[in-house]
Amino acid sequence: MIYIGNHISSAGGFAAMGRKAVELGADTFAFFTRNPRGGKAKDIDPKDVNELKTILKDNGFGPLVAHAPYTMNLSSGKDNVREFSVNILKEDLIRMEYLPGNYYNFHPGAHVGQGSETGTEMIVSALNGAMFPEMNTMVLLETMTGKGTEIGGTFEELKKIINGVNEKDHIGVCLDTCHIWDAGYAIDESIDRVLDRFDSIIGLDRLYAIHLNDSKNPCGARKDRHEKLGKGYIGEETIKKVVQHPALQDKPFILETPNDDEGYAAEIDWVRRHMITYNEI
Ligand code: FE
Ligand code: FE
Ligand code: ZN
């Protein structure tokens, strides 16, 4: 069994996200920790958070997958952007402690000018400055397409970051199916082969969450344009195999497909009808 849900707007607060997720048939969801374009985070209302916790418990939710804002770039060559990003990361990880046991996913970064090696060092030092031993959150690096100067378009690049992180018990990966496809990992030919590769480089024990998306472009295109499930180049058959893969069971799957509520509810329902419960064999 997997957990399935979509990205939900945090505009109405925590409990409102939980109610929306239940309404759509989800048992996990993703949300931005603050305005995705950056800016200040709203103060946390403990009553609102507690209400969400009750909703999650009553409805058997799996871990939630919070998403850092897109403006966060820990490997920016511009000092002010990097400092701004490091502060967001620190603040977000403290805020996540209000919802212990969940995941915080972010795009590793783009190195603009200074090269991938320096960029990787910057990401590592930002993580080491923001993560702390008592934390209750799993920090997840997202697999990227590798477009432009994006870091994280290969499993090797993610592994380099993980190697440098001190808090090894709190670092993992969120695998985005559209992104790895666009990066050139041909999951239509063989998911096993791609996951074996992931396992030999990073280790499947570091894989905590899936972003389940189809792609508007062919494998290797490095465009990063998400498509509705089954409507893109990855296609329905491969998406089904991803959902049913034994190595991916028990993880939260997040839809980031171009949909409205009705579309998300339909995709969640489709995934539920095609998932397999392995522990009942
Ligand atoms: Fe993302
Ligand atoms: Fe994603
Ligand atoms: Zn994307």
Side-chain angles (χ1 to χ4, degrees):
M1 199 205 84
I2 60 169
Y3 298 102
I4 180 71
N6 59 304
H7 200 108
I8 291 182
S9 163
S10 56
F14 287 99
M17 290 194 285
R19 283 192 290 270
K20 172 60 82 179
V22 170
E23 182 192 313
L24 298 177
D27 54 9
T28 179
F29 63 89
F31 61 99
F32 283 121
T33 52
R34 60 185 73 215
N35 182 317
R37 301 283 155 214
K40 223 178 115 58
K42 272 185 240 163
D43 284 340
I44 287 182
D45 170 3
K47 204 173 137 259
D48 185 29
V49 175
N50 283 334
E51 208 182 314
L52 170 62
K53 284 181 182 164
T54 306
I55 295 170
L56 301 179
K57 198 158 162 266
D58 290 351
N59 293 279
F61 271 60
L64 307 183
V65 191
H67 199 303
Y70 294 138
T71 39
M72 189 173 109
N73 182 4
L74 300 174
S75 59
S76 171
K78 288 185 189 141
D79 291 347
N80 59 333
V81 175
R82 207 171 56 254
E83 274 159 34
F84 165 82
S85 301
V86 170
N87 284 332
I88 286 181
L89 178 68
K90 281 187 185 157
E91 206 181 289
D92 278 359
L93 291 186
I94 292 166
R95 289 162 60 89
M96 285 298 292
E97 292 298 310
Y98 279 93
L99 279 167
N102 292 292
Y103 304 160
Y104 178 81
N105 149 243
F106 75 104
H107 298 178
H111 62 87
V112 191
Q114 83 281 30
S116 136
E117 202 159 312
T118 309
T120 301
E121 281 166 21
M122 287 169 169
I123 296 166
V124 167
S125 93
L127 286 169
N128 285 338
M131 294 170 78
F132 47 101
E134 324 79 59
M135 67 190 291
N136 292 289
T137 302
M138 283 300 309
V139 176
L140 306 183
L141 307 166
E142 183 164 347
T143 61
M144 302 309 292
T145 66
K147 68 172 154 42
T149 62
E150 230 170 44
I151 295 174
T154 64
F155 299 153
E156 286 83 353
E157 285 180 358
L158 295 178
K159 175 62 178 172
K160 259 188 215 159
I161 300 171
I162 293 168
N163 280 347
V165 171
N166 296 331
E167 287 304 321
K168 288 277 191 293
D169 291 346
H170 297 109
I171 187 82
V173 172
C174 171
L175 185 143
D176 187 311
T177 53
C178 168
H179 294 177
I180 61 166
W181 172 263
D182 273 41
Y185 293 100
I187 49 174
D188 59 335
E189 284 168 16
S190 171
I191 298 172
D192 284 338
R193 207 193 308 143
V194 173
L195 289 180
D196 280 352
R197 186 143 180 85
F198 186 101
D199 194 33
S200 67
I201 295 162
I202 298 174
L204 279 171
D205 55 334
R206 294 249 180 238
L207 181 54
Y208 283 84
I210 308 291
H211 283 172
L212 188 66
N213 303 306
D214 209 323
S215 173
K216 282 191 198 294
N217 292 284
C219 186
R222 290 214 159 89
K223 291 275 205 274
D224 194 1
R225 302 273 317 280
H226 301 192
E227 182 54 286
K228 295 184 172 75
L229 300 187
K231 301 279 185 275
Y233 277 84
I234 298 178
E236 195 174 290
E237 283 315 302
T238 302
I239 299 281
K240 244 186 248 175
K241 286 184 198 157
V242 172
V243 164
Q244 296 176 351
H245 201 285
L248 306 180
Q249 298 308 297
D250 302 321
K251 300 184 200 308
F253 278 53
I254 303 295
L255 301 164
E256 299 175 312
T257 46
N259 273 308
D260 52 15
D261 280 358
E262 208 183 323
Y264 281 127
E267 284 193 343
I268 289 167
D269 179 60
W270 182 89
V271 170
R272 286 203 188 288
R273 281 185 286 112
H274 291 94
M275 63 168 78
I276 288 174
T277 309
Y278 280 90
N279 57 14
E280 284 179 5
I281 293 170

